[in-house]
Amino acid sequence: MTKLIVDGIEIDVPAEYTLLQACEEAGAEIPRFCFHERLSIAGNCRMCLVEVKGGPKPVASCAWAVRDCRPGPNGEPPVISTKSPMVKKAREGVMEFLLINHPLDCPICDQGGECDLQDQAMAYGVDTSRFAENKRAVEDKYIGPLVKTQMNRCIQCTRCVRFTTEVAGVPDLGAIGRGEDMEITSYLENAMVSELQGNVIDLCPVGALTSKPYAFRARPWELSKTESIDVMDALGSAIRVDARGREVMRIMPRLNEAVNEEWISDKTRFIWDGLKTQRLDRPYVRVDGKLRAASWGEAFAAIAAKVKAAGPARTGFIAGDLASVEELYALRELARALGVRNIDGRQDGTALHPQFGRASYLFNATVQGIEDADAVLLVGSNPRREAPVLNARIRKRWRMGPLPVGSIGEPADLTYDVQMLGAGPETLADIADGSHPFADVLKAAKKPLVIIGQGALARPDGEAVLSLAAKAAMAVGAVTDGWNGFSVLHTAAARVGALDLGVVPGEGGLDAIAMSKAGALDVVYLLGADEIEIAPGAFVIYQGTHGDRGAHRADVILPGAAYTEKSATYVNTEGRAQIANRAGFAPGDAREDWAILRALSDALGKRLPFDSLGQLRSALHAAVPSAAALDRVEPADPAVIEALASRGGATDRAAFVPAVADLYLTNPIARASAIMAECSALAKGRPALAAE
């Protein structure tokens, strides 16, 4: 620890701190543009200048280490001033310099009200400028459909360049020219390829990079801001939903160190236009082969008649990927009341099951625990597509120090060095029995991490692969006291919640794949299940938000509420329960999903024992205590992994196929989004990289 005196206050800070960190520790506010806590230090904006006693001129506090400060002549602690006349004059000079080329367009800039430059200019700007020449003119760049450029505003802070290079791991942006001719641009003005590129909008401190879909649609002071949770993947990123009236205008990231830090994927950020298109806003009943609008009573009567005629053995329930814990609980209770054993929350056919124990289907290492791993094995997983922000966390750990990463499955560019080990279960078996060279790498690691993707589990031999992965994890020492590296990466936000609740077939019941077969059932109830195709013959009830695949197949449609239109609990891939809050109301006659199931239970003569969301949650928390442990990860019993490893089973020779073929079109909301359609088209038209 090193003693410093900052503005007359003596503090004790680590020697590796920068002066900026030390000053903030003392309570001083340091303005900055280029500096960002999660990016490398550039030291080029000079706005963070402070005075070090004895120095001839102010120093950049972001790039000056505490250990580099000299003590006084008699060994006194170094004295730092952040408010001296020298500092004030220096910062005013820097601000004048920054504003030389910046256009005075605050009234129309899309960052109006949220601009660091505007804020700092109020504190350090002067009313005159010594600059008499014409302002620099820079052409706007095309960098894709998501980020709008106004390069006249650019102050070359290089935050965007450092983010794309360091965090996203793609060389999308860089600088050309020198001095007055320097420009930030993309390579040959191509569209950016990163799935995290939207984060540069938040990073840009001056409005040079803004949201192209959101531009000129609203101002910050018009919007109601609601803290919520993302459901586009199973990570559960913290987000803020900004809405005007009923319409969601934008989605922004919120800080959560344990999950997403301060990043979100482009799908999370730009999905909002899909929330208002192709929406189901009234019940429909199919009559003479055509869907017609109906009342809730008519829809419930049609369902009741079919369910009673079919009986419990010929009725089935399938839950989709975006269902919250509340409606999953209501669905489970309705199925139990009817005596229906054909119920499943795994529409992709994954082999995960609560009977194996909770540790068998969680990301046990936790997302934050990735930074502690010192070797990684990917099994049938492409984290860049399945959870881009989690993939950025793996890259972060890879940049911190040596991290061998091996992958079994399809080759892909994951933004960090990956050793391709093989394509299918044979390679995994070789690692389990120690005959593969990478097994020695994992054994030598103190905290090896084994990530099992849905591409390895959603197949006929999925249970055997899961057991084999557990055997491999045990063999390489991934499950020890204080560390459980056996981690399942989910792709669906609803999946862990469904497994926690036991939304799986009862004794003798059919799973989702079996229910979809021709002649299997007479009545199939789809709770937002759009990724499964029900064969002709069955009477299909679809409860969901969009006119997607499930609604096209349905005989009765019940309009539900999207994740931004209800207060709901979701459990992420590491078993963390989180609350998504309502930012607006569902359109037309659409209702919250749990309320629809409660009303339907009345029509079926099996009334569920709750009349409000509070009552439902009380019953839910009593049945599943983990759903009440908000924002906490309860470690699961690691003994489960050893038992799972002993199950065994026969595997086939088929290679692992990624669970997510198109990142941008994975659910009904995404498929209703014009922005996502454009991103998908660009991704498909892009020439394959060498690693792909």
Side-chain angles (χ1 to χ4, degrees), residues 230-234 265-268 270-275 277-278 320-323 347 385-386 491-495 528-532 542 545-550 562-563 659-674 676-677:
D230 173 55
V231 300
M232 293 299 111
D233 54 35
S265 70
D266 292 337
K267 184 164 66 169
T268 298
F270 296 106
I271 201 74
W272 48 264
D273 69 319
L275 290 166
T277 54
Q278 300 184 20
D321 294 346
L322 304 183
Q347 63 171 339
R385 286 184 188 169
E386 294 163 19
T491 55
R495 191 63 39 78
D530 290 89
E531 318 309 317
I532 188 167
Y542 177 77
T545 58
H546 286 72
D548 203 69
R549 300 167 184 169
Y563 72 105
V660 177
D662 190 333
L663 168 67
Y664 302 103
L665 302 176
T666 55
N667 59 60
I669 304 175
R671 290 189 285 270
S673 166
M676 292 297 103

Side-chain angles (χ1 to χ4, degrees), residues 369-443:
I370 292 172
E371 297 181 21
D372 298 325
D374 45 3
V376 178
L377 174 65
L378 301 173
V379 182
S381 176
N382 181 338
R384 186 173 175 181
R385 286 184 188 169
E386 294 163 19
V389 178
L390 183 140
N391 191 65
R393 186 82 74 146
I394 299 176
R395 174 176 169 81
K396 178 182 178 182
R397 170 60 188 89
W398 175 77
R399 292 184 71 244
M400 288 164 60
L403 180 71
V405 181
S407 177
I408 305 173
E410 194 174 89
D413 177 15
L414 299 179
T415 72
Y416 41 84
D417 294 338
V418 178
Q419 182 181 346
M420 293 307 304
L421 308 178
E426 298 92 346
T427 308
L428 184 58
D430 290 343
I431 290 175
D433 62 26
S435 60
H436 197 284
F438 199 77
D440 297 330
V441 176
L442 293 168
K443 287 176 182 176

Side-chain angles (χ1 to χ4, degrees), residues 462-529:
E463 189 173 322
V465 172
L466 180 65
S467 176
L468 190 58
K471 185 179 178 182
M474 296 297 299
V476 301
V479 183
T480 59
D481 290 340
W483 176 255
N484 187 347
F486 181 87
S487 301
V488 176
L489 179 58
H490 291 271
T491 55
R495 191 63 39 78
V496 175
L499 293 169
D500 281 349
L501 283 167
V503 183
V504 292
E507 188 177 349
L510 303 177
D511 61 17
I513 303 300
M515 284 189 259
S516 67
K517 305 293 186 191
L521 297 174
D522 294 335
V523 176
V524 179
Y525 194 106
L526 302 179
L527 179 60

